[in-house]
Amino acid sequence: MRGGEMATLVVDVGGNNVKLRCEGYDERRKAPTGPDYRPGQLVADVQRLATGWNYTRISIGCPGPVAGNRVVRDLVNLGPGWMEFDFTQAFGVPVRLVNDAVMQAIGSYEGGKMLFLGLGTGLGNTMIVDGTIIPMELGHLPYRKDRTYEDYVGNRGLEKRGRDRWEAHVHKVVRLFQEALLIDDVVLGGGNARKLKELPAGCRIGDNENAFIGGFRLWDDQA
């Protein structure tokens, strides 16, 4: 890294793994997470995994609602302690913290009005309208039988109902969101998106690499 150059470390936190990439390096690194994973463990994992990388700032995407650079509600698929945690203080460098779906959406955005749906441990979702980011928490809204959208199209739905029934619900949920939000461009990301045999109409598959692209773009204020 040249003198005065800013380099971003991107940290993508998921329900199963945390993945890292740093500007100027081709390698991706990761470590397991899980339902008891806490922010202190994340800091330790990032410091260990990023050994040998030179960076001056960090972008973090985490699976939950974020405002003012802080997690504002307990995370459903990870352990406790995230709401009170100050990542900038813990890492000692500037940190921009956003919802993980926001980070992937930014990396997937091609203009106009786009809805991002992350099919993974839960259901991440973000809308971008003419460059304005609109974070959303649609996954925890009621869907059917006193269960949420996330219960049907997240990992729990896939494991409980099998791939075919899970895919049928994915198609139905996408159609409901398209009709409700009057949207044509839907990006399906997350680890389970590629398990779909057929894409719903008006959808495209997002690349997992887009989370890292979004993390780099977080510091481009003009973008």
Side-chain angles (χ1 to χ4, degrees):
M1 187 172 63
R2 297 183 298 272
E5 184 178 344
M6 305 296 286
T8 305
L9 173 66
V10 180
V11 180
D12 183 17
V13 186
N16 296 312
N17 294 286
V18 54
K19 293 165 282 189
L20 278 68
R21 181 185 167 193
C22 187
E23 281 183 299
Y25 303 87
D26 293 330
E27 184 182 4
R28 280 66 164 162
R29 299 174 182 176
K30 68 178 182 178
T33 58
D36 296 320
Y37 196 70
R38 305 184 183 214
Q41 293 172 267
L42 174 65
V43 172
D45 281 343
V46 169
Q47 291 174 334
R48 173 177 56 84
L49 291 170
T51 299
W53 285 348
N54 294 314
Y55 56 92
T56 57
R57 57 197 184 188
I58 301 176
S59 295
I60 301 176
C62 74
V66 174
N69 226 38
R70 294 287 186 101
V71 176
V72 297
R73 194 161 66 233
D74 288 333
L75 303 185
V76 174
N77 297 307
L78 297 175
W82 295 84
M83 289 176 59
E84 303 83 11
F85 206 84
D86 187 333
F87 287 100
T88 297
Q89 182 179 33
F91 284 113
V93 298
V95 173
R96 289 191 175 177
L97 177 68
V98 296
N99 175 269
D100 60 341
V102 168
M103 199 159 73
Q104 288 199 48
I106 293 171
S108 304
Y109 186 60
E110 297 178 352
K113 187 176 183 181
M114 181 202 78
L115 175 67
F116 174 85
L117 296 175
L119 303 175
T121 306
L123 175 64
N125 42 93
T126 297
M127 190 159 64
I128 303 181
V129 181
D130 296 331
T132 299
I133 301 164
I134 306 172
M136 309 174 95
E137 286 295 321
L138 300 173
H140 303 302
L141 293 177
Y143 173 48
R144 56 180 298 181
K145 297 182 179 179
D146 295 323
R147 300 288 184 180
T148 67
Y149 287 104
E150 187 168 277
D151 288 325
Y152 278 82
V153 300
N155 265 348
R156 289 189 297 273
L158 177 59
E159 293 169 358
K160 180 178 180 179
R161 296 174 181 86
R163 203 210 54 77
D164 288 343
R165 292 177 63 197
W166 167 81
E167 178 163 340
H169 283 291
V170 170
H171 280 251
K172 181 176 180 180
V173 167
V174 166
R175 187 167 62 253
L176 287 172
F177 289 163
Q178 286 171 322
E179 293 173 354
L181 299 172
L182 300 176
I183 200 159
D184 296 319
D185 184 19
V186 178
V187 176
L188 300 180
N192 290 332
R194 296 189 181 278
K195 295 180 180 178
L196 294 167
K197 290 182 179 178
E198 183 179 346
L199 276 180
C203 291
R204 56 188 169 97
I205 288 287
D207 194 314
N208 288 337
E209 185 70 11
N210 289 345
F212 296 122
I213 295 172
F216 298 143
R217 287 180 177 176
L218 274 180
W219 295 92
D220 184 352
D221 291 326
Q222 286 186 333

